[in-house]
Amino acid sequence: MSIKKLLANALAMGALLTAIGFSAPSMAQDAAPKAEAAVTAPAAEAPPAAPSPAAAAAAREVAPAAPAPVPNKGDVSWMAISTILVIMMSLPGLALFYGGLVRSKNMLSILMQVFMVFSVIVVLWAIYGYSLAFTRGNSFIGGFDRLFLNGITPDTVAATFSKGVVLPEFSFVAFQATFAAITCALIIGAFAERVKFAAVLLFMVIWFTFSYLPMAHMVWYWAGPDAYTDAAASDAATATAGWLFAKGSLDFAGGTVVHINAAVAGLVGAFVIGKRVGYGKESMAPHSLTMTMVGASLLWVGWFGFNAGSGLEANGLAAMVVVNTLLATAAATVAWTLAEWMAKGKPSMLGAASGAVAGLVAITPACGFVGPMGSLIIGLLAGITCLWGVNGLKRMLGADDSLDVFGVHGVGGILGALLTGVFASPSLGGTGVYDYVANAVTPDYAIASQVWIQAQGVITTVVLSGVVSFIAFKLVDLVIGLRVPEEEEREGLDVTSHGESAYHS
């Protein structure tokens, strides 16, 4: 080989080595972003020697944790809509439903009571209600970690019913605030047209604190599905849950917490306060069934947020709850109307509206656990049973439950709570009970056992609400008095309590 050729080869080799040397840093820089994203390690360092098995095990132990779950925008949107729907149930739905049922001289009085009770309870919810209901405390009441919504920011999250799925805690706070507020507003229908406005407000503060909050905690508080990783973790998480939740009580959207709880308080109030002046002797017919029908319709629409929103996610479960709520309400309306038609010879608008509410109440605890056919049966039974509740049972009790709060919400709530234990069975088309450790439905569902658990929830609610309500009414009567004077009751609470009239001739 000539010297000239050897020199050319040497120059070529040198150029190649130089090119490689300059390109190596550039290649390392190109790889750096991916390396940092994966393991946050320096990118330009030379790869180390193969690690020993012990070093590899240590590396696995300190591997980066999985990223924290982020709320889904669809879930957040659905919960905002559900919250707004529940507000619509109360204002104007419940207000108009109740307003149409009273006499015209008390129309504004009942509207004002619903409006103010709702507002007061929302304020109390933010101050201490949410903390006592939905933070860890003991089996019967929560703690004080969230007083004044302390520690909640747009970034804090709350658990749903699916592992790895969360909501902004503010979404959960607002949704549950509407539940507390409408529950208290339901009570006033039982003693409408005869109670001092100040007495109503003071009673609600006491009852909300000592009856609603413990019930909400006992039935609905738990550590969330992510806490149930194995048997030991499951036992530890269950030990921190509410008393009835730990027992396995099923209440999807408030059969015990809302309807039975409020109905018992109303019934106790009807007994303690006494009957309206002229009850049983004078006509006390509803002054506007048109408004009652509009109110019932708003209740029906808003109840989809009440029930389907309780699943806390926009998913297939929410869709099933919508179907169950629709079917049960329609079935109850048909059942009540036909039964009344046969018994009295004519179907009434009041009966149809009452039947719809009865169906809504009865399906509330069951809507996330039963199948469509189960919801139809619950609705049909609710229409007939609640019709008896506002007629036969009301006469047996002898109380002046002005707007049939116990006959519809009490009877319907108890029926729905018990039937949840029946139709939640997978053998009858229900969802069964989910085991978060096994991530599967529990295979050994027993109807009799679950009905007994449901009955314990009903009994607990009746006793707690009954005792708290009786004491609260007596305290209010002692401090400011419960009833307005007889002459004010005869004139009407619109003028005597509020200085206004709903209608002007």
Side-chain angles (χ1 to χ4, degrees):
M1 184 179 293
S2 66
I3 295 175
K4 188 176 180 180
K5 191 172 183 179
L6 287 172
L7 181 60
N9 288 339
L11 289 173
M13 184 64 69
L16 179 61
L17 291 173
T18 301
I20 293 173
F22 280 115
S23 65
S26 176
M27 292 169 62
Q29 290 173 3
D30 291 341
K34 294 182 181 179
E36 288 181 20
V39 296
T40 65
E45 293 181 0
S52 65
R60 286 194 297 270
E61 291 177 359
V62 297
V70 177
N72 177 276
K73 290 183 179 180
D75 293 337
V76 177
S77 300
W78 168 236
M79 291 310 300
I81 292 170
S82 295
T83 301
I84 293 167
L85 285 171
V86 181
I87 294 172
M88 188 188 72
M89 286 174 64
S90 309
L91 312 169
L94 181 66
L96 289 177
F97 182 76
Y98 277 177
L101 291 173
V102 298
R103 290 167 288 180
S104 60
K105 62 184 180 181
N106 296 312
M107 173 65 169
L108 290 182
S109 169
I110 204 74
L111 295 182
M112 183 63 173
Q113 288 179 25
V114 172
F115 209 90
M116 271 299 290
V117 166
F118 188 91
S119 301
V120 168
I121 297 305
V122 168
V123 171
L124 296 181
W125 185 255
I127 294 173
Y128 65 87
Y130 175 71
S131 188
L132 291 179
F134 287 106
T135 65
R136 180 172 174 177
N138 55 47
S139 297
F140 304 100
I141 197 69
F144 301 103
D145 294 344
R146 289 292 194 241
L147 289 180
F148 298 95
L149 304 185
N150 176 57
I152 305 179
T153 72
D155 297 321
T156 56
V157 296
T160 64
F161 294 99
S162 300
K163 288 188 174 182
V165 180
V166 295
L167 273 178
E169 192 168 2
F170 275 131
S171 296
F172 186 69
V173 169
F175 183 65
Q176 289 296 337
T178 62
F179 270 59
I182 195 173
T183 301
C184 294
L186 286 173
I187 300 171
I188 65 176
F191 43 77
E193 302 191 300
R194 58 197 187 272
V195 181
K196 293 179 179 179
F197 183 63
V200 171
L201 298 182
L202 180 56
F203 169 80
M204 292 305 170
V205 172
I206 299 171
W207 186 86
F208 163 75
T209 305
F210 296 102
S211 186
Y212 183 84
L213 295 180
M215 280 304 307
H217 184 81
M218 283 191 285
V219 174
W220 286 333
Y221 177 74
W222 67 316
D226 291 322
Y228 291 73
T229 55
D230 54 40
S234 175
D235 292 341
T238 302
T240 68
W243 185 61
L244 289 171
F245 185 95
K247 281 182 170 291
S249 178
L250 302 177
D251 188 350
F252 194 79
T256 52
V257 180
V258 177
H259 297 292
I260 302 173
N261 207 8
V264 171
L267 182 63
V268 171
F271 277 119
V272 172
I273 296 167
K275 300 176 182 179
R276 287 167 288 180
V277 174
Y279 179 75
K281 301 175 182 178
E282 304 172 9
S283 174
M284 296 186 178
H287 89 279
S288 177
L289 287 178
T290 302
M291 289 189 181
T292 295
M293 185 273 171
V294 172
S297 302
L298 289 170
L299 283 169
W300 191 342
V301 174
W303 221 290
F304 290 110
F306 191 89
N307 281 359
S310 292
L312 306 180
E313 300 172 47
N315 57 13
L317 176 62
M320 183 188 79
V321 173
V322 167
V323 169
N324 286 342
T325 303
L326 179 63
L327 293 177
T329 310
T333 303
V334 171
W336 185 305
T337 302
L338 291 179
E340 182 184 54
W341 197 350
M342 289 187 289
K344 298 182 178 181
K346 294 180 180 180
S348 71
M349 182 67 250
L350 177 58
S354 300
V357 176
L360 291 165
V361 169
I363 198 58
T364 291
C367 57
F369 302 113
V370 305
M373 294 304 102
S375 69
L376 273 177
I377 296 172
I378 290 174
L380 290 169
L381 293 175
I384 296 170
T385 306
C386 291
L387 174 60
W388 168 78
V390 303
N391 289 291
L393 180 61
K394 186 174 183 178
R395 285 193 295 270
M396 290 167 56
L397 294 174
D400 179 13
D401 180 353
S402 306
L403 310 183
D404 294 315
V405 175
F406 188 80
V408 175
H409 295 272
V411 173
I414 292 170
L415 178 72
L418 296 177
L419 291 181
T420 299
V422 176
F423 292 104
S425 172
S427 64
L428 297 177
T431 64
V433 176
Y434 198 79
D435 182 348
Y436 283 98
V437 175
N439 290 320
V441 175
T442 304
D444 53 350
Y445 188 95
I447 292 177
S449 298
Q450 189 61 48
V451 170
W452 169 234
I453 294 172
Q454 299 300 106
Q456 292 178 63
V458 170
I459 293 168
T460 302
T461 311
V462 170
V463 172
L464 177 64
S465 185
V467 172
V468 170
S469 300
F470 182 79
I471 295 173
F473 280 120
K474 289 297 184 181
L475 284 175
V476 173
D477 196 25
L478 184 65
V479 175
I480 59 176
L482 285 169
R483 291 192 70 140
V484 299
E486 181 177 341
E487 59 272 18
E488 292 186 11
E489 185 177 338
R490 288 193 177 278
E491 185 175 353
L493 302 186
D494 286 4
V495 173
T496 60
S497 295
H498 305 289
E500 299 174 302
S501 296
Y503 308 101
H504 298 277
S505 55

